Amino acid sequence: MPDMREDQIALTVEKVVRELAEAGKLQAGQLLVVGASTSEVLGKRIGTSGAVETAAAIYAGVEAVRQAIGFVPVFQCCEHLNRALVIDQTIAERLGLEIVHAVPVPQAGGSMAAYAYGRMERPCLVERIEAHAGIDIGDTFIGMHLKRVAVPVRPTVKSIGEAHVTMAFTRPKLIGGARAVYDETYRLRPEQTAPTCD
């Protein structure tokens, strides 16, 4: 989809974020990490041609879904800020995250992170999080910021502009062995007898 207009970008981002939220049963207060290369969306090599207008469109798409669900969007910076994350300071403090200092700009942080930083009331940066889900627009490698275990979601839209799209939600680790039960609807009823564990 080359040469997408900003309104098309926003609608496409909204569509894939809704798909991710539905697949991962994303809830209010949960973290969604967003990695995006505006250069890649525009068909350029990552880090070479960032565009604030494209960042604004991506932000608008994420925001449309956030307003409906109430998840917490966290925006990944580029490698020049060590892939730190833009997050609201109140939320960072509530989660006990260590705050680091820099102000993302298009040349160091990337257009997406710089735009998100400018839109938040109390923005700050943190070095790491463990997000419940994530979307990667342009192969920016968000995996380092996802909880274990990541479950890939195949979006119905494979690219936004020229940028490849991948996304995942996370689930708790499955523990136990042959006797373990993973069906969340199972509950031991009081009248049942339970065999003892060896």
Side-chain angles (χ1 to χ4, degrees):
M1 284 189 185
D3 301 323
M4 290 180 84
R5 297 188 324 262
E6 276 75 25
D7 59 336
Q8 292 174 307
I9 293 169
L11 288 172
T12 307
V13 170
E14 180 179 348
K15 177 182 175 59
V16 295
V17 173
R18 282 192 195 284
E19 290 175 7
L20 176 59
E22 184 178 322
K25 299 178 178 62
L26 207 56
Q27 299 173 16
Q30 291 187 322
L31 300 174
L32 171 72
V33 63
V34 178
S37 167
T38 59
S39 298
E40 290 282 333
V41 172
L42 298 173
K44 307 294 184 184
R45 188 170 55 82
I46 193 169
T48 62
S49 303
V52 175
E53 299 81 11
T54 305
I58 294 168
Y59 188 93
V62 172
E63 181 64 11
V65 187
R66 185 208 62 81
Q67 288 178 359
I69 296 174
F71 61 75
V72 176
V74 183
F75 295 87
Q76 179 180 264
C77 294
C78 75
E79 63 179 301
H80 298 100
L81 290 184
N82 299 328
R83 304 213 188 285
L85 302 132
V86 178
I87 188 171
D88 179 87
Q89 186 172 334
T90 304
I91 294 166
E93 290 168 349
R94 187 184 79 219
L95 295 174
L97 301 174
E98 182 180 357
I99 295 172
V100 294
H101 185 65
V103 175
V105 295
Q107 299 79 15
S111 295
M112 185 74 254
Y115 183 82
Y117 192 93
R119 288 293 308 266
M120 291 184 187
E121 219 172 286
R122 294 186 68 215
C124 72
L125 295 185
V126 296
E127 283 189 294
R128 63 183 58 89
I129 58 165
E130 291 187 353
H132 300 88
I135 183 165
D136 190 332
I137 303 167
D139 300 320
T140 67
F141 295 102
I142 60 165
M144 63 192 286
H145 297 304
L146 293 175
K147 287 177 173 286
R148 294 185 178 177
V149 172
V151 179
V153 176
R154 302 288 181 248
T156 57
V157 177
K158 306 294 185 206
S159 63
I160 297 174
E162 294 291 317
H164 179 234
V165 177
T166 58
M167 53 193 195
F169 65 87
T170 62
R171 63 154 174 80
K173 296 177 188 177
L174 302 178
I175 63 167
R179 296 182 183 188
V181 175
Y182 300 113
D183 180 355
E184 294 179 9
T185 62
Y186 177 81
R187 299 288 189 274
L188 183 67
R189 293 189 304 276
E191 67 273 13
Q192 284 181 303
T193 58
T196 59
C197 185
D198 294 338

